[in-house]
Amino acid sequence: MATDASEVRRYTIALLVENRSGVLSRVSGLFSSRGYNIDSLSVGETLDPTISRMTIVVRASQPVIQQVVKQLHKLLDVIKVIDLTDEEHVSREMLLLRVGAAPGTRAEVLRIADIFRTKIVDVTPVSYTLEITGDESKIGAIIELLRPFGIQEVVRTGKVAIARGSKALSRKDQARLQQLHSAPRAVGYDD
């Protein structure tokens, strides 16, 4: 589907980065320096403890994202940039939600929790804390259904995403990873 280049839409960008201090600041700084707020950002270590994977969700126009992606490639700490926006991918988010559960509404809250296959991770006489994993639409749907019962607190992890199928790192990417492990470390931009 063709999109207008000036149209602001949500982009999902995955990054493989070196796992060391300051990388997150440099990456997020590229977005903030252009005045774009990151909707969601999640970071975690990969199988290789020296490499982390970031998933960033941001609203921007196509020209801005293209420019940010080019700048991300110039960061020495960034190994690979993958724009998953128009690629087939699987994404999930985890939500912890504490909702009011008075004696008269406990059964209904449990019924909704069961429908969404949530885990109840804490119970008090007046509340339940639920753990929900799913895509953004599932997370949004359960929040709306539980809102009338009095949502007391919400904690979200942010989106994590991975390409569908057997896409893996290219030989060029693997060679760069080996080079990173054998070369002395530099920090900052690749000019």
Side-chain angles (χ1 to χ4, degrees), residues 12 14 53-55 82 84 87-92 159-168:
T12 301
R53 183 177 173 120
M54 294 183 183
T55 305
I82 309 159
L84 293 170
E87 300 291 324
E88 283 193 45
H89 66 276
V90 178
S91 65
R92 294 290 182 268
K159 184 177 181 178
V160 293
I162 189 168
R164 281 192 182 271
S166 59
K167 285 189 176 178

Side-chain angles (χ1 to χ4, degrees), residues 5-17:
S6 63
E7 175 188 351
V8 173
R9 60 188 278 229
R10 293 185 86 196
Y11 287 88
T12 301
I13 309 293
L15 303 174
L16 289 178
V17 298

Side-chain angles (χ1 to χ4, degrees), residues 101-180:
T105 61
R106 292 179 83 81
E108 182 64 13
V109 171
L110 286 176
R111 190 179 69 79
I112 293 170
D114 187 47
I115 290 169
F116 282 83
R117 298 181 186 157
T118 67
K119 291 181 186 172
I120 297 176
V121 294
D122 189 42
V123 177
T124 73
V126 293
S127 70
Y128 289 126
T129 300
L130 310 175
E131 175 189 317
I132 305 115
T133 303
D135 61 22
E136 290 178 274
S137 64
K138 179 181 176 181
I139 299 292
I142 195 165
I143 287 173
E144 288 310 311
L145 284 173
L146 293 175
R147 193 179 299 275
F149 299 98
I151 294 175
Q152 298 168 353
E153 192 170 3
V154 167
V155 181
R156 297 173 83 153
T157 60
K159 184 177 181 178
V160 293
I162 189 168
R164 281 192 182 271
S166 59
K167 285 189 176 178
L169 293 179
S170 68
R171 289 185 181 168
K172 182 180 168 188
D173 297 325
Q174 291 173 357
R176 181 157 187 221
L177 290 175
Q178 286 181 344
Q179 187 180 27
L180 286 171

